Amino acid sequence: MSDLRVRFAPSPTGYLHVGGARTALFNWLLARQQGGTFILRIEDTDVERSTSESVDAILEGMKWLGLDWDEGPFYQSESFPLYKEYVRKLLEAGKAYKCYCTAEELDAKRNLAMQEGRKPKYDGTCRERADQPDGQPYVVRFRAPQGGVTSFNDLIKGTITFPNEELDDLIIQRTDGTPTYNFCVVIDDATMRITTVIRGDDHVNNTPRQVQLYEALGFPVPQFAHVPMILGSDKARLSKRHGATSVIAYRDMGYLPEALMNYLVRLGWSSGDDEIFSREEMIQKFDICNVGRSASVFNTEKLNWLNAHYIKNSEPERLAALLQPHLAARGVSTLGGPDLAAVVKTLQERAQTLEEMAERAVFYYNAPVNYDDAALAKFDKELLAEVFAKVTEKLSGSATNSIPEIDALFKEICSENGWKMGQVGQPVRIALSGGTQAPGIGEIVMTLGAEETIRRIQKAREFVSGK
Ligand code: GLU
């Protein structure tokens, strides 16, 4: 085990967003690569907005992606005594102070600063205050360094420097005694001995304040890596407006976890021109320092391409198990029908998602009740009747134990009757599936079985002759 300790620290105020999942993935990859420790911490200090449903949704998303953690989940709401203890320490050391300014006073000062064109900033009224008015509500503020700068070296963005002048005396404890967000993060990261903080770059502005707190508390400052945001096609931050953003929504739309993982790892990170990365390859090759500095645009087409790749290369049995709920959602039962893994084999070459595959698998279990009229209309009625009759006759009297055998039968039907394959294959495909978007005839017949095939052709024959 190495000393590397990283963490994923979601706020449980919603589902696991793909951006959050990518942050978790980068942390996880680094931990797995270096034999470090990956910690899961739930940042639920915002009691109003945090819910246990959201915690469950986040854990579900992580488990689905296979992002296993080594320690936690730890809940910030369970650490309030710890935070209080550190507030006390800072107060005792004179590195924090009680501020009695009322909200009205602060508002008035802020308005005045704005009117005078100054940056609104706490003016330090209580910084050097000697009296401690009894029984009056107060917040605790961090006594931030006044002059100079605060700098940190970001593994992705390089050195980032903030003039201390721009940083307020941060409130670390509210009037109701609860600790504030930036303070909790520092205490947690420090006491959990986090060595590398990888998080979204929407937190860059929090970092100098956090660095100051580490220094004031005498903790070593961890390394930071701020990952650029994920954007939608219009270059605005990826949100529901652009489509699904939740990891679980991608599962429900029929994406495989390894496809989403592969997609997310490439979003902002590259290794040569490679696009396909197995879990092991990602772990081996990932380098946080190679994450790009600019934001990446979410591209569903590329995700679909990757998903199609993984579907094509997955074991049919595994896909069958994953496909089952998608069929159930359509009210389709596979009981008594063809083996689902066999069905998958006929569809996995061409499906981009499991949803798409489910849609195309339905006809195997539910014989068509309607036929694609426009497609049928392309064939002469007499020809259809004849084709259906000949195919039935041939199938009834021949062995149909393999796809090549069935394909050969259809070739024979064509040559014996002077028909082209399109004149036979397409009507039969319509008879078996209701439409023309179906796998090859040999595959369908093999999967349905000769008996069911004949039954369906018979039905189509009656349909056509009744017209
Ligand atoms: N809880 C923060 C969020 O969900 C993450 C903070 C951090 O990683 O430091 O955005």
Side-chain angles (χ1 to χ4, degrees):
M1 272 245 157
S2 81
D3 292 337
L4 177 103
R5 290 173 65 84
V6 291
R7 80 321 188 257
F8 176 51
S11 304
T13 54
Y15 47 75
L16 179 60
H17 187 279
V18 285
R22 186 184 55 159
T23 303
L25 172 63
F26 287 178
N27 277 287
W28 180 85
L29 286 171
L30 204 62
R32 294 295 168 261
Q33 178 180 74
Q34 302 194 9
T37 306
F38 177 46
I39 296 162
L40 177 59
R41 181 171 81 224
I42 305 292
E43 301 206 319
D44 58 349
T45 43
D46 186 343
V47 187
E48 304 263 286
R49 294 179 59 222
S50 301
T51 66
S52 62
E53 289 77 26
S54 169
V55 173
D56 293 345
I58 291 168
L59 300 189
E60 190 184 358
M62 290 189 62
K63 285 181 191 159
W64 179 67
L65 285 172
L67 298 174
D68 54 336
W69 54 94
D70 306 305
E71 291 179 18
F74 298 113
Y75 293 82
Q76 284 190 326
S77 57
E78 289 171 8
S79 297
F80 278 24
L82 178 77
Y83 308 135
K84 268 206 127 78
E85 177 58 24
Y86 280 98
V87 170
R88 196 184 54 76
K89 280 188 184 167
L90 283 179
L91 277 171
E92 264 176 26
K95 293 177 176 173
Y97 60 92
K98 294 178 180 173
C99 168
Y100 296 87
C101 296
T102 62
E104 293 75 32
E105 284 166 355
L106 292 173
D107 275 350
K109 283 177 187 169
R110 192 173 305 124
N111 288 338
L112 186 66
M114 305 255 265
Q115 272 170 24
E116 292 175 357
R118 284 180 288 121
K119 241 187 160 174
K121 185 186 162 189
Y122 180 62
D123 67 352
T125 305
C126 294
R127 249 185 172 245
E128 308 305 335
R129 185 171 185 146
D131 65 323
Q132 302 275 299
D134 233 11
Q136 224 168 283
Y138 63 86
V139 298
V140 178
R141 284 185 189 270
F142 173 57
R143 195 185 296 278
Q146 296 283 281
V149 295
T150 298
S151 262
F152 59 95
N153 180 34
D154 192 283
L155 294 174
I156 296 172
K157 295 178 184 285
T159 303
I160 299 183
T161 305
F162 286 80
N164 287 339
E165 204 187 354
E166 281 183 14
L167 303 166
D168 249 345
D169 279 358
L170 183 75
I171 295 176
I172 57 175
Q173 184 178 292
R174 303 183 187 91
T175 44
D176 64 2
T178 55
T180 57
Y181 172 72
N182 275 300
F183 186 68
C184 299
V185 172
V186 170
I187 301 303
D188 280 338
D189 284 340
T191 55
M192 292 175 184
R193 304 185 323 282
I194 301 300
T195 55
T196 311
V197 170
I198 302 174
R199 61 184 167 204
D201 70 1
D202 47 339
H203 288 283
V204 164
N205 288 339
N206 287 330
T207 309
R209 297 175 187 289
Q210 295 183 3
V211 169
Q212 291 178 347
L213 284 168
Y214 280 103
E215 285 167 350
L217 288 157
F219 290 129
V221 181
Q223 286 196 300
F224 292 97
H226 287 94
V227 180
M229 294 286 101
I230 301 180
L231 308 179
S233 47
D234 57 356
K235 305 284 161 70
R237 200 167 150 181
L238 187 71
S239 72
K240 273 191 182 153
R241 219 163 31 83
H242 300 104
T245 53
S246 126
V247 165
I248 291 302
Y250 281 93
R251 178 195 68 188
D252 295 345
M253 288 189 294
Y255 290 88
L256 299 182
E258 61 269 36
L260 189 58
M261 283 268 264
N262 193 152
Y263 180 68
L264 291 177
V265 80
R266 279 284 295 106
L267 209 51
W269 173 78
S270 57
S271 169
D273 290 333
D274 295 349
E275 288 295 353
I276 308 281
F277 293 90
S278 68
R279 235 165 217 268
E280 292 65 35
E281 284 165 344
M282 276 183 217
I283 292 174
Q284 207 185 19
K285 295 186 174 156
F286 181 71
D287 182 353
I288 189 75
C289 301
N290 273 353
V291 171
R293 288 183 186 199
S294 46
S296 333
V297 174
F298 197 88
N299 176 344
T300 309
E301 272 166 35
K302 182 156 174 214
L303 172 60
N304 286 346
W305 175 79
L306 280 166
N307 206 45
H309 165 84
Y310 283 102
I311 286 180
K312 213 181 285 179
N313 291 287
S314 285
E315 286 301 320
E317 287 71 21
R318 173 186 174 226
L319 292 178
L322 295 174
L323 192 62
Q324 199 60 261
H326 293 271
L327 286 168
R330 289 173 164 71
V332 175
S333 161
T334 55
L335 279 178
D339 172 39
L340 188 51
V343 166
V344 164
K345 272 192 205 162
T346 70
L347 301 169
Q348 75 186 116
E349 282 297 319
R350 281 173 290 268
Q352 287 197 320
T353 65
L354 294 174
E355 269 292 277
E356 207 175 276
M357 195 187 268
E359 195 59 54
R360 294 181 189 165
V362 172
F363 83 86
Y364 280 110
Y365 300 96
N366 297 346
V369 278
N370 289 311
Y371 301 96
D372 181 340
D373 279 335
L376 272 181
K378 292 198 180 123
F379 302 93
D380 183 68
K381 243 175 98 172
E382 322 261 274
L383 174 77
L384 285 177
E386 242 184 293
V387 165
F388 288 154
K390 291 280 182 211
V391 171
T392 306
E393 190 188 308
K394 199 85 182 176
L395 283 176
S396 315
S398 323
T400 50
N401 297 322
S402 71
I403 295 172
E405 223 166 54
I406 298 166
D407 285 343
L409 278 188
F410 276 86
K411 278 210 185 93
E412 258 173 57
I413 296 172
C414 288
S415 61
E416 283 169 12
N417 297 282
W419 292 327
K420 293 201 183 85
M421 193 44 109
Q423 291 175 293
V424 180
Q426 204 66 323
V428 172
R429 194 180 271 116
I430 298 168
L432 300 182
S433 73
T436 52
Q437 295 292 330
I441 288 295
E443 289 175 289
I444 310 179
V445 175
M446 181 70 203
T447 313
L448 280 178
E451 212 177 300
E452 176 65 12
T453 302
I454 291 168
R455 199 175 304 132
R456 289 189 186 190
I457 292 177
Q458 182 56 29
K459 248 182 77 189
R461 222 169 136 180
E462 286 160 17
F463 176 82
V464 171
S465 66
K467 283 202 129 192

